[in-house]
Amino acid sequence: MSYEAYKDNSLGFTTKQLHAGYNPGEHYRSKAVPIYHTAAFELGDYDRCVRLFDYSEEGHSYVRFSNPTNDVLEKRIASLEGGRAALAMASGMAAISNTFLNLANAGDEIVAVQTLYGGSTTLLSSILPDYGIVGRFVEDADDIEAYKRVINEKTKAIYIECLGNPGMNIVDVEAIAELAHAHGIPLVIDNTFATPYLFRPFEHGVDIVCYSATKYLAGHGTVIAGLVVEKGGFDWLNGKFPQFEKFYKEFEDSIDKETLDQEMFTKRLRIRFLTEMGPHMSPQTAFYMLQGMETLSLRMDRHVYNAQKIAEFLDQHPNVEYVNYPGLPGSRYYELGKKYFPKGTGAILSINVKGGEKAALKVLEKVRIFDYMVNVGDAKSLIVHPASSTHFYQSKEERAKAGVYDNTLRLSVGIEDVEDLIADLAQALE
Ligand code: PLP
């Protein structure tokens, strides 16, 4: 009886974050998910080996392809996201770069907003173009007409983020999804800052979700990890994706039709990219991920509670010029925030400090609980000066487009007692 929870998708989010995808009955009834610390698995007999290698049988052979610990993590995130399939990778950048490679061939384009995580912008603007895949950036992410202007017959996906970094801007996901689908292309989102607890991409038309699982999903700043989740049902055989047509032909006799129809993106990502490019997540990391995700909803509730209180405090502070947080009624993203983030608009916010860069750096020097770190999404509170770190390599104009000025500080609000965090910021701002 107690072993049934792992496959019941009608259970609530918090129940699923503890049970989904793991059947202890298949693992010596170990209550914790075991770490399968091996490089490879016995193949059994010749016939089974052939079935594993033509993918007609699900199973584990070599760990660069799959591992039972990672398998639980993949099933768990797919369940929490309400998706069909998922794949664990070595880092958020591995998840994102391999997603782009799965979507586009040389000569293709990917349309993206300008307020992406810096690594994703660099991939699309400087690295992939050398391999023939070009990122086309939307001039104004808030204007649907601006997306239409950069889409053409070479476009193979639209790529957005749930909450912009560090301006916390929100795009109208449903309108963009509709536009993508009208062109026969998928909408892909980086949902790192929100997690499936705060924002439900698949319920708003998104087809593929990428995560830097390093952040809130793992939750404690202890691992580097990435995840890709597929909603299922996108028509990859609609004439725009020759690579998927080729893949379908290659595997239609061995992989069952329903699986190919519903999760071809993930199958190809695993077979072509995880296996052949090697961005594998170690099972030890998958174990830490599963541990972290057991408390995801509880942590996120506390993160957004603290962030809202802090945003309200900073908004009233005489030494703060401006607060970027969509949970404030004065934010231009307040209404979109209410629509897409009913539980709260995340726990990252940015402020412009009065007195310019000198004053901002003074705040950095004076904080005692907020740690001066480039990371986000840790249980502990973090603070950084984006212009001299995360956005260092961008020009002043590029930074301004992302809402980064010399006096901007980005805060990743942790789960400490909010009174302590407010007192810390108050003394630093003095
Ligand atoms: N996406 C976002 C929104 C991020 O903030 C980051 C890292 O900071 C990444 C992707 C890259 O993830 P990782 O550092 O796990 O490779």
Side-chain angles (χ1 to χ4, degrees):
M1 272 297 276
S2 64
Y3 297 148
E4 291 298 305
Y6 72 98
K7 58 179 181 187
D8 183 353
N9 263 326
S10 68
L11 295 168
F13 190 98
T14 302
T15 310
K16 287 201 285 191
Q17 76 191 8
L18 288 148
H19 296 282
Y22 179 58
N23 178 6
E26 293 169 1
H27 303 266
Y28 294 98
R29 304 198 171 191
S30 165
K31 196 58 213 167
V33 179
I35 301 170
Y36 282 82
H37 227 300
T38 180
F41 291 82
E42 288 186 357
L43 297 169
D45 54 51
Y46 170 82
D47 288 344
R48 180 165 183 271
C49 170
V50 170
R51 289 197 304 276
L52 287 175
F53 275 81
D54 74 7
Y55 306 110
S56 57
E57 179 171 321
E58 297 268 339
H60 309 288
S61 54
Y62 191 57
V63 167
R64 181 153 34 75
F65 176 74
S66 69
N67 173 293
T69 316
N70 297 30
D71 189 50
V72 176
L73 172 63
E74 288 159 357
K75 291 197 166 93
R76 188 154 300 172
I77 187 69
S79 168
L80 291 176
E81 199 78 57
R84 167 81 195 203
L87 196 60
M89 289 203 173
S91 67
M93 285 322 297
I96 294 164
S97 54
N98 285 283
T99 290
F100 291 157
L101 293 174
N102 202 17
L103 286 165
N105 290 329
D108 290 341
E109 297 183 358
I110 292 173
V111 162
V113 295
Q114 300 198 33
T115 49
L116 297 178
Y117 167 66
S120 306
T121 305
T122 307
L123 251 185
L124 288 172
S125 63
S126 311
I127 300 174
L128 290 179
D130 287 347
Y131 298 85
I133 299 169
V134 175
R136 292 267 173 240
F137 291 92
V138 176
E139 198 51 47
D140 178 1
D142 298 339
D143 176 11
I144 195 75
E145 297 303 318
Y147 294 78
K148 291 181 188 164
R149 282 197 286 278
V150 282
I151 293 180
N152 59 46
E153 72 288 351
K154 293 186 242 164
T155 311
K156 295 302 156 85
I158 303 181
Y159 184 71
I160 58 175
E161 285 184 6
C162 56
L163 292 157
N165 178 11
M168 297 299 275
N169 52 304
I170 299 173
V171 294
D172 192 349
V173 180
E174 285 176 5
I176 302 168
E178 202 177 304
L179 179 68
H181 297 157
H183 285 83
I185 56 174
L187 177 60
V188 185
I189 197 168
D190 178 334
N191 199 31
T192 299
F193 281 14
T195 81
Y197 184 65
L198 296 182
F199 179 57
R200 316 278 311 145
F202 295 152
E203 291 168 20
H204 300 288
V206 173
D207 302 285
I208 307 289
V209 179
C210 295
Y211 284 106
S212 167
T214 312
K215 311 293 169 4
Y216 293 106
L217 288 176
H220 303 82
T222 52
V223 292
I224 298 288
L227 291 165
V228 181
V229 196
E230 176 178 11
K231 180 182 182 183
F234 184 85
D235 182 10
W236 299 103
L237 305 178
N238 66 4
K240 291 200 78 101
F241 300 92
Q243 73 271 37
F244 283 102
E245 280 163 31
K246 192 167 155 215
F247 185 83
Y248 194 91
K249 282 206 184 82
E250 204 175 331
F251 292 104
E252 64 183 338
D253 292 334
S254 52
I255 301 178
D256 71 276
K257 184 167 168 17
E258 216 253 329
T259 305
L260 268 185
D261 285 348
Q262 290 299 316
E263 48 188 89
M264 187 154 50
F265 185 87
T266 310
K267 279 277 174 227
R268 188 168 184 273
L269 193 62
R270 185 186 295 282
I271 293 172
R272 287 283 168 267
F273 295 97
L274 183 67
T275 307
E276 308 300 3
M277 306 275 262
H280 145 80
M281 177 193 283
S282 89
Q284 191 96 34
T285 298
F287 175 82
Y288 286 127
M289 285 298 315
L290 287 160
Q291 286 263 293
M293 280 162 62
E294 288 195 354
T295 56
L296 178 64
S297 61
L298 312 181
R299 285 186 285 108
M300 293 316 288
D301 276 338
R302 176 69 169 234
H303 275 294
V304 291
Y305 172 82
N306 282 1
Q308 182 70 33
K309 289 266 181 238
I310 287 175
E312 286 165 12
F313 161 75
L314 292 170
D315 198 37
Q316 298 301 316
H317 200 284
N319 292 343
V320 175
E321 198 175 271
Y322 192 72
V323 182
N324 278 307
Y325 186 65
L328 292 175
S331 162
R332 64 185 290 204
Y333 301 106
Y334 182 69
E335 290 305 326
L336 283 175
K338 279 212 305 207
K339 172 175 175 184
Y340 289 119
F341 297 80
K343 295 194 180 86
T345 52
I348 296 164
L349 52 98
S350 62
I351 57 171
N352 296 343
V353 182
K354 266 190 200 153
E357 185 178 31
K358 229 174 141 184
L361 298 183
K362 198 85 193 157
V363 174
L364 267 188
E365 192 189 306
K366 292 285 175 191
V367 282
R368 294 190 291 232
I369 299 176
F370 278 82
D371 286 317
Y372 180 19
M373 284 172 69
V374 77
N375 199 11
V376 292
D378 195 318
K380 297 169 273 296
S381 289
L382 316 173
I383 189 165
V384 78
H385 179 244
S388 57
S389 56
T390 53
H391 292 66
F392 186 71
Y393 291 106
Q394 295 187 358
S395 66
K396 243 187 157 63
E397 295 71 40
E398 282 172 328
R399 280 186 212 146
K401 281 182 189 160
V404 173
Y405 303 94
D406 289 345
N407 64 338
T408 303
L409 295 176
R410 184 188 70 192
L411 279 62
S412 173
V413 177
I415 60 174
E416 297 93 341
D417 293 305
V418 73
E419 300 77 19
D420 292 336
L421 297 178
I422 289 176
D424 190 29
L425 292 170
Q427 63 81 27
L429 281 161
E430 284 310 308

